[in-house]
Amino acid sequence: MKATGIVVEYNPLHNGHVYHAQQAKKVTGSDIIIAVMSGNFLQRGEPAFVDKWTRTKMALATGVDLLFELPYRYATGHAPVFAEGAIRLLDAAGCTAFCFGSEEGDIGVFKQSLKNIDSSRDTYEFTVKQAIQEGTSYPKALNKAYETIRERGLGGADLSKPNNILGFHYMQAAMTIGSDIMPSTIQRLGADYHKDSLELGEIASATGIRKSYFSTSSLKEVMDFVPATTGELLDEWQEAGLKFGNWESFYPYLRFIILREGPEKLAHIADITEGIENLIYKAAKDHSSYQPFMETVKSKRYTWTRIQRMLTHILTGFTYNMRDSMHTPSYLRLLGMTNEGRAYLNEKKKSLHLPLISKAASFSDPSLDMDIHASSIYALATGQMTGLDYTTSPIIGNHFSSNSFK
Amino acid sequence: MKATGIVVEYNPLHNGHVYHAQQAKKVTGSDIIIAVMSGNFLQRGEPAFVDKWTRTKMALATGVDLLFELPYRYATGHAPVFAEGAIRLLDAAGCTAFCFGSEEGDIGVFKQSLKNIDSSRDTYEFTVKQAIQEGTSYPKALNKAYETIRERGLGGADLSKPNNILGFHYMQAAMTIGSDIMPSTIQRLGADYHKDSLELGEIASATGIRKSYFSTSSLKEVMDFVPATTGELLDEWQEAGLKFGNWESFYPYLRFIILREGPEKLAHIADITEGIENLIYKAAKDHSSYQPFMETVKSKRYTWTRIQRMLTHILTGFTYNMRDSMHTPSYLRLLGMTNEGRAYLNEKKKSLHLPLISKAASFSDPSLDMDIHASSIYALATGQMTGLDYTTSPIIGNHFSSNSFK
């Protein structure tokens, strides 16, 4: 059986994601789709809209056959770390291809980007370093360096676009780890695609969907943009009395922890650098809601996302020391599978490069401990029970119980 | 001017407290009453019903002339530590007498208690040690040892009664620090006293008053048992949308912090011993409200109060290391004064044994930092603004603004 890998967050899963999974299978001619998915905290340093089990159910209902959890350490890392963690897992799971959505939609220009940088590595690295010293944020510095090279007329992807950036890092990661996994890309659908020709329903970004919910406190407008199963699962989440995750609703806890810890202890938290702990501490003292707090902390040097990653680590207590104890991904944590996914696992289970974990209690690893810990922290703020990682079995096919996340 | 000291929590201040302050002044023939009062966390390891500024206003309106804050390190300590901190402050403030409420009501029997123990110190200490080794809680062990001696027919106070115990420790502390301060006691009024003869209104314990509020969510029944000013201040607190402090309302934060920290870090928190951190961690995972959580943690070895002190320290992040850095009380933090209190301070300010602090920002000390920190933590859970320690001036006389705690 041939498997193609995709890297997803599904926050929440919408019509555009269905298209991505279907196309990934089609263009690579694979038998199944394997997704590596973030857990309850995401790459932009945010709590997930709904938990990983619910998002697994969404995925299994709409084209993914096998889901593995991207460990917290990678899921909340910046693009190069996130991408390397994800590609290592897809490689370990035996994927022969991977397919990402991008603004470019042409794999050739990404290959050209890699070549450009490889042939001008010194210029590239020098420009990155210089830009950071001048106070530019890391993603902007990367992009500036890259543009300096691209201006030489060599072509390559536009790395100012968020999905292009991730795609580029996936490809770079595959090269770095020496994987044979074959890259491909499909163009992301914008809100302007011709919906009649695809029969997918309307397209909106996951960000737009979350915004719509949080500004109206209603799922009504969300429903046009998501598959039926996503809609049902979101309804169930709400009916169970659970909170949809965002920073506004997590902020009372974050604030409490910031004030309890104080700047000295905050300085040990991963990603906290250059005295920003003092600014965070002061802003938390002064502001009782999230938006004004963030506006106080935000500066030219740090992107909004980077600060949010710091806050995620403060919330979960993730220190530099803890991160340093976690090396490359060391397990494949199974979140769910369809019957096809199960058949694939049966066929490949002896050739997987990493141990397959279907019961959290059966494996001991600092990174897995952190995934479980992060779930509990998430659960407290959303109103779920703690310890779901121990009590939830991998979700099987479409036969999941709609009550299992209550 | 002659000053008599009292040690109070006023949680909240009720009719019985008014009687105590009035009688203390009368029986000692003093010009003013100085109170040492706990801040926002109390001796039984609980958040205060209302904050220290509000309780200061209650005190100034009903017989106290000068209030100093008992630092967190002592206010949340067990009886011997609490008593020593308080007596040291009263001594430093120049009190020539102190007066405590007790079940006994006769200072002679307390003096006899001190004599008894002094003359049988070896038996006493041996019995305490043995009882603790057998798994008895510390207060019960003290009492058992004391009763062993008292059975010899020497007389002495009944140290199974809570106010007798504190009184005994005040006297022991005065002896330990070599203070000349003169002890006296008055009998506490029970609910059965003849109210017509005293014109005080009805008597209930502070515990009973808080229970009445929390079981009805109404202040209506409370009003019979408290002076008018207390009633008005409680009303204002409620109208400002603030939460009355108790563990049920603080538990979401406590639970979050317990799960974030994990047993390993909890072991560094003051008063955590013998692996109880594991039990606390497990109980927090399992229980989403306070009462069942506590019932899981409670055992014969630890009193309810002792566990609550651990929880207070977990909430505020107060570690063994922090406590070890705080020695004897090193400042007199002024919370409020009447005109008489101010006159006293003017007369004595050069003879006080410790620096007088009326502005928190003007003094640097680990213990004061902790008092301020504890206030902020309290403020987050009750809904107050943080940093009130910096922005609130000592309350003067009865001319306080009724808005100053909003």
Side-chain angles (χ1 to χ4, degrees):
Chain A
M1 288 174 85
K2 187 184 163 188
T4 292
I6 60 178
V7 185
V8 302
E9 295 203 303
Y10 290 161
N11 191 41
L13 187 148
H14 57 62
N15 295 336
H17 292 129
V18 178
Y19 175 76
H20 172 217
Q22 288 174 351
Q23 290 293 307
K25 196 165 173 182
K26 194 168 148 190
V27 300
T28 60
S30 69
D31 300 304
I32 68 157
I33 292 291
I34 298 179
V36 165
M37 187 175 80
S38 308
N40 290 348
F41 293 95
L42 307 180
Q43 208 258 330
R44 285 176 52 79
E46 289 174 333
F49 192 59
V50 293
D51 79 339
K52 61 190 176 190
W53 304 110
T54 307
R55 281 149 52 229
T56 297
K57 292 171 189 170
M58 293 174 182
L60 293 176
T62 41
V64 177
D65 298 292
L66 206 44
L67 277 103
F68 297 110
E69 179 171 355
L70 183 62
Y72 176 93
R73 188 250 179 282
Y74 301 96
T76 60
H78 66 172
V81 164
F82 178 88
E84 187 181 328
I87 296 297
R88 279 189 188 274
L89 288 184
L90 293 177
D91 186 66
C95 294
T96 50
F98 72 98
C99 180
F100 57 92
S102 66
E103 290 84 1
E104 292 286 357
D106 172 5
I107 202 69
V109 292
F110 288 95
K111 287 181 179 164
Q112 185 60 45
S113 296
L114 284 180
K115 263 189 213 156
N116 295 353
I117 287 178
D118 199 45
S119 63
S120 312
R121 186 153 296 280
D122 290 348
T123 313
Y124 181 75
E125 284 172 0
F126 174 78
T127 317
V128 170
K129 209 173 150 185
Q130 201 180 38
I132 286 175
Q133 274 169 357
E134 285 165 6
T136 310
S137 70
Y138 180 75
K140 281 206 175 134
L142 280 192
N143 191 46
K144 188 181 172 186
Y146 174 76
E147 284 301 318
T148 308
I149 295 166
R150 199 162 75 124
E151 275 162 16
R152 293 176 192 167
L154 302 168
D158 174 359
L159 295 192
S160 69
K161 301 278 168 64
N163 292 282
N164 287 347
I165 294 173
L166 276 174
F168 170 78
H169 284 293
Y170 296 140
M171 293 186 63
Q172 203 170 42
M175 198 172 71
T176 306
I177 68 173
S179 169
D180 292 334
I181 195 167
M182 179 80 74
S184 61
T185 187
I186 54 164
Q187 192 154 19
R188 279 170 59 93
L189 298 177
D192 56 346
Y193 88 108
H194 302 292
K195 70 172 177 172
D196 297 337
S197 61
L198 291 169
E199 297 176 356
L200 277 171
E202 300 203 47
I203 297 288
S205 69
T207 308
I209 289 170
R210 295 192 305 275
K211 265 194 189 149
S212 158
Y213 170 76
F214 287 116
S215 62
T216 61
S217 293
S218 155
L219 291 167
K220 198 160 165 269
E221 287 178 27
V222 168
M223 295 301 171
D224 289 342
F225 302 97
V226 299
T229 318
T230 295
E232 287 159 23
L233 288 162
L234 294 177
D235 267 341
E236 281 179 26
W237 182 273
Q238 191 169 47
E239 279 160 28
L242 303 176
K243 277 189 192 163
F244 290 101
N246 71 349
W247 269 120
E248 286 296 349
S249 62
F250 278 56
Y251 184 64
Y253 296 105
L254 176 70
R255 188 181 185 214
F256 206 91
I257 284 166
I258 291 170
L259 294 198
R260 177 185 185 271
E261 295 294 274
E264 226 169 288
K265 284 188 204 154
L266 292 179
H268 298 284
I269 295 289
D271 287 343
I272 298 277
T273 49
E274 300 170 327
I276 195 171
E277 65 274 17
N278 297 305
L279 188 56
I280 289 174
Y281 182 67
K282 198 186 168 314
K285 270 192 171 167
D286 291 348
H287 298 291
S288 60
S289 63
Y290 184 65
Q291 194 66 22
F293 162 81
M294 270 300 282
E295 277 158 19
T296 307
V297 177
K298 180 77 184 76
S299 68
K300 207 179 122 202
R301 181 174 288 271
Y302 300 110
T303 62
W304 190 275
T305 299
R306 175 146 178 215
I307 296 167
Q308 290 198 145
R309 279 187 211 121
M310 298 177 191
L311 301 179
T312 298
H313 301 327
I314 290 173
L315 190 80
T316 61
F318 189 62
T319 60
Y320 281 110
N321 281 345
M322 290 166 78
R323 187 157 75 186
D324 290 347
S325 75
M326 299 168 192
H327 308 295
T328 56
S330 49
Y331 52 87
L332 282 161
R333 170 84 189 279
L334 181 64
L335 292 176
M337 54 187 169
T338 59
N339 289 335
E340 291 73 22
R342 192 208 294 261
Y344 175 86
L345 278 186
N346 281 336
E347 184 181 309
K348 306 278 181 183
K349 63 185 163 194
K350 294 201 172 141
S351 63
L352 301 175
H353 305 175
L354 290 172
L356 177 71
I357 302 174
S358 49
K359 281 185 185 168
S362 67
F363 194 75
S364 175
D365 183 281
S367 175
L368 181 63
D369 290 347
M370 185 62 207
D371 298 346
I372 295 167
H373 174 68
S375 279
S376 281
I377 293 291
Y378 177 86
L380 289 188
T382 53
Q384 292 181 291
M385 284 175 51
T386 65
L388 286 176
D389 278 82
Y390 292 116
T391 55
T392 311
S393 298
I395 315 290
I396 312 286
N398 295 327
H399 309 295
F400 51 81
S401 153
S402 59
N403 289 319
S404 57
F405 62 88
K406 277 176 195 168
Chain B
M1 288 174 85
K2 187 183 163 188
T4 291
I6 60 178
V7 185
V8 302
E9 295 204 303
Y10 290 162
N11 192 40
L13 187 146
H14 57 61
N15 296 337
H17 293 129
V18 178
Y19 175 76
H20 173 218
Q22 288 174 351
Q23 289 295 306
K25 197 166 172 180
K26 194 168 147 191
V27 301
T28 60
S30 68
D31 301 303
I32 69 156
I33 291 292
I34 298 180
V36 165
M37 187 175 79
S38 308
N40 290 348
F41 292 94
L42 307 180
Q43 209 258 327
R44 286 176 51 79
E46 290 174 333
F49 192 60
V50 294
D51 80 338
K52 61 190 177 191
W53 304 110
T54 307
R55 282 149 50 230
T56 296
K57 292 172 190 169
M58 293 174 182
L60 292 175
T62 43
V64 177
D65 298 293
L66 206 44
L67 277 102
F68 297 111
E69 179 172 356
L70 184 62
Y72 176 93
R73 187 249 180 281
Y74 301 96
T76 60
H78 66 171
V81 165
F82 178 88
E84 187 181 327
I87 296 298
R88 280 190 188 272
L89 288 184
L90 292 178
D91 185 67
C95 293
T96 50
F98 71 98
C99 179
F100 56 92
S102 65
E103 289 83 0
E104 293 286 357
D106 172 5
I107 202 68
V109 294
F110 287 96
K111 287 180 179 165
Q112 185 60 44
S113 295
L114 283 179
K115 264 190 213 156
N116 294 352
I117 288 177
D118 199 44
S119 62
S120 311
R121 186 153 296 281
D122 291 348
T123 314
Y124 180 77
E125 284 172 0
F126 174 78
T127 317
V128 170
K129 208 173 151 186
Q130 201 179 37
I132 286 175
Q133 274 169 357
E134 284 165 4
T136 310
S137 70
Y138 180 75
K140 281 206 176 135
L142 279 193
N143 191 46
K144 187 181 172 185
Y146 174 76
E147 283 302 318
T148 307
I149 295 166
R150 200 162 75 126
E151 275 163 15
R152 295 178 191 165
L154 302 168
D158 175 359
L159 295 192
S160 70
K161 301 277 170 63
N163 292 282
N164 287 347
I165 294 173
L166 275 175
F168 170 78
H169 284 293
Y170 296 141
M171 293 185 64
Q172 203 170 40
M175 199 172 70
T176 305
I177 69 173
S179 170
D180 292 334
I181 194 166
M182 179 79 73
S184 61
T185 186
I186 54 164
Q187 192 155 19
R188 279 170 58 93
L189 298 178
D192 56 347
Y193 89 107
H194 302 292
K195 70 171 177 174
D196 296 337
S197 61
L198 291 169
E199 296 176 355
L200 278 171
E202 301 202 45
I203 298 287
S205 68
T207 308
I209 289 170
R210 296 192 305 276
K211 266 192 189 150
S212 158
Y213 170 76
F214 287 117
S215 62
T216 61
S217 293
S218 155
L219 290 167
K220 197 161 164 269
E221 287 179 27
V222 168
M223 295 301 172
D224 288 342
F225 303 96
V226 299
T229 317
T230 295
E232 287 159 22
L233 288 162
L234 295 177
D235 268 341
E236 282 180 24
W237 183 273
Q238 191 170 48
E239 279 160 26
L242 303 176
K243 277 190 193 163
F244 290 100
N246 72 348
W247 269 121
E248 287 296 348
S249 61
F250 278 56
Y251 184 65
Y253 296 105
L254 176 70
R255 188 180 185 215
F256 206 91
I257 285 165
I258 291 171
L259 294 198
R260 177 185 185 272
E261 295 296 272
E264 226 169 289
K265 284 187 204 156
L266 293 179
H268 298 285
I269 295 291
D271 287 343
I272 298 278
T273 48
E274 300 168 326
I276 196 172
E277 64 274 17
N278 297 305
L279 188 56
I280 289 173
Y281 182 67
K282 199 186 166 312
K285 269 192 171 169
D286 290 348
H287 298 291
S288 59
S289 64
Y290 184 65
Q291 194 66 22
F293 162 80
M294 270 301 280
E295 277 158 19
T296 306
V297 176
K298 180 77 183 76
S299 69
K300 208 180 123 202
R301 181 173 288 270
Y302 300 111
T303 61
W304 190 276
T305 299
R306 175 146 178 216
I307 297 167
Q308 290 199 146
R309 280 187 211 122
M310 297 177 192
L311 302 180
T312 298
H313 300 327
I314 290 173
L315 191 80
T316 60
F318 188 61
T319 59
Y320 280 110
N321 281 344
M322 289 165 78
R323 186 157 77 186
D324 290 346
S325 75
M326 299 167 193
H327 308 295
T328 56
S330 49
Y331 53 86
L332 282 161
R333 171 84 188 280
L334 181 64
L335 292 176
M337 55 188 169
T338 60
N339 290 336
E340 291 73 22
R342 193 208 294 260
Y344 176 85
L345 279 186
N346 282 337
E347 185 181 310
K348 306 279 181 182
K349 62 184 164 195
K350 293 202 173 142
S351 63
L352 301 175
H353 304 175
L354 290 172
L356 178 70
I357 303 173
S358 50
K359 281 186 184 168
S362 67
F363 194 76
S364 176
D365 182 281
S367 174
L368 181 64
D369 290 347
M370 185 63 207
D371 297 345
I372 296 167
H373 175 68
S375 279
S376 282
I377 293 291
Y378 177 87
L380 289 189
T382 53
Q384 291 180 291
M385 283 176 50
T386 64
L388 285 176
D389 278 83
Y390 293 116
T391 56
T392 311
S393 298
I395 315 292
I396 311 285
N398 295 326
H399 309 294
F400 50 80
S401 153
S402 59
N403 289 318
S404 57
F405 62 88
K406 277 175 195 169

